[in-house]
Amino acid sequence: MIRLASFAAMILVWQAASYFADPRGLPGPAPVLLAIVDEAKSGSLFANLAVTLARVMAAFVLAMSLGSAIGYLMGRNRLADRWLDPWLVALLNLPALVIIVLAYIWAGLNEAAAIGAVAINKLPGAVVVVREGARALDPTLDEMAHVFRLPIKTRLRHIVLPQLAPYLAAATRSGLSLVWKIVLVVELLGRSNGVGFEINMAFQLFDVRLLLAYALPFVAIMLGVESFLVQPLERHASRWRGDSARRRY
Amino acid sequence: MPPAGAATLLDVDIKSKDFRSASGRPQRALENLRLTLKRGEAGAVVGPSGCGKTTLLRIVAGLEKDFSGEVALPDHGRLGVVFQEPRLLPWRTVAENLRIAAPQATSMEVEALLDALGLSAHAAHFPGELSLGLARRVALARALAIQPDLLLLDEPLVSLDAVLSLELRERVARLINETHVTTLIVTHDLGEAIALADRIFILSPRPARMAAEIRIDAPRGRMTTEAAKAIEQEARSIIASLRSQ
Ligand SMILES: Nc1ncnc2c1ncn2[C@@H]1O[C@H](COP(=O)(O)OP(=O)(O)OP(=O)(O)O)[C@@H](O)[C@H]1O
Ligand SMILES: [Mg+2]
């Protein structure tokens, strides 16, 4: 309810601001909505949204699976942690733009370079968070699994994954927003479709209406993914935490 | 009672076990400790708090590798362990905890086991919703569910009220009699040891050495009250002489 009211207030502020501003610099909600409808009718809105969404998902899945594996390894194995840590720090501090440009130069202006560059940008963040989770794994449960000779699959599913779930959720949340922002840059620099490409077009035409018509639907999609996918999954994973203070045995 | 000459199932021969203290000096926890159990026997290890009972159990369970000596267990033998803390998976229900540890157990077996330990009403509860006493019983049920060749119990009946503790003691005694599972119980309650074991191993204060071994010829249900009293007196005099040393 409060979320909805806050959202309505945002629209109102926008409407008010556009009333005083130059309509070319900041169009109001109604013209933007019209532009969205126009673009949707021509079909190009959905085509571009779909292309960008596919890139976001591909880069996200790649970065999360690789990052989780590396982070888990670094959290459990001190030697691996020592070896890989300098690489991690270097990658964390490499500007996104440098990675993107290098990827395009070395691998060419193609889809693999675009998705790879985004994934590499997201990778170190995922590694850091999952490593933190792997370090916090309960050693007493490891001992229990050892004496009961639980197979690897069982350990991962019933012991490791439930403990990592909050960390994976945190990495997902920060990851999705980061990935989609970088995907736009990648599209702007070297792709001929997608939301980022359209925003570049809008920039060259100085058309803020068109820019918002592409940016806002995508923000709405990411908001939907967050509240209808990430949050319910998180609630399901933490349903064992009763509402009172938990006891831990 | 296992037949005479039955095979030795567990043979523990520890020369020494040291822990490194925070200052770096080695501190001896166990020394010259030999104990054996035949198949189907129950042994109880009694000793004062902090003497090294849990350490002994961890060595038998294969969790402490850094000691000098040997532990002989049957190859591929299944081990059921009840740790001093329950160590359940808090994100899985009671029934799931059992099934994860013992995937080969049928749901009938799991239900029967929960019933036998008075846990039927809690099968769908998460461990965080249980009292410590209930959680301990779940840990015991989990260890039994895998139908172990060797059952290791670290003070399984503490933190239960006196009535429940006695009741559960009876249940464990019956389980040992019925399933003939070889069992090693660690406890500091002499009465518990006498009620459950075929052999009682009395440890000295730290570093733990084997101070004495008492064999019980008519264990558990077949023991008369007089026999229990006599054993208790014998054990108490041994423990008293250890203290005065
Ligand atoms: N990981 C460890 N590092 C250093 N010292 C340890 C470690 N584990 C146990 N000890 C020491 O070894 C001794 C024996 O500990 P242990 O837990 O085996 O005792 P216990 O007989 O099980 O005691 P309680 O009856 O209180 O459970 C204690 O003095 C303890 O401080
Ligand atoms: Mg102990």
Side-chain angles (χ1 to χ4, degrees), chain B residues 19-20 29 48-56 84 154-155 188 206:
Chain B
F19 283 113
R20 209 157 282 282
S49 183
C51 74
K53 303 181 299 291
T54 296
T55 307
L56 169 65
Q84 203 160 348
D154 197 346
E155 315 216 21
H188 55 235
R206 187 185 171 188

Side-chain angles (χ1 to χ4, degrees), chain B residues 90-102:
Chain B
W91 38 82
R92 296 289 183 261
T93 64
V94 166
E96 283 166 351
N97 264 281
L98 261 60
R99 262 187 243 111
I100 288 165

Side-chain angles (χ1 to χ4, degrees), chain A residues 139-144 146-150 154 157-160 162-163 237 239-242 245-249, chain B residues 58 61-63 77 79 81 83 86-92 100-101 126-128 130-132 135 142-143 146:
Chain A
T140 67
L141 293 181
D142 283 343
E143 288 188 347
M144 187 279 289
H146 177 80
V147 296
F148 281 95
R149 307 223 179 92
L150 301 185
T154 309
R157 180 163 162 220
H158 297 295
I159 299 181
V160 174
Q163 292 182 77
R239 72 198 184 287
W240 56 276
R241 299 176 202 267
R246 277 163 299 128
R247 309 171 195 214
R248 190 77 161 74
Y249 301 125
Chain B
R58 288 174 57 83
L63 293 172
L79 220 56
V81 181
F83 293 93
R87 299 199 188 183
L88 304 172
L89 303 178
W91 38 82
R92 296 289 183 261
I100 288 165
F126 288 103
L130 305 178
S131 69
L132 181 56
R142 175 175 67 182
I146 66 167

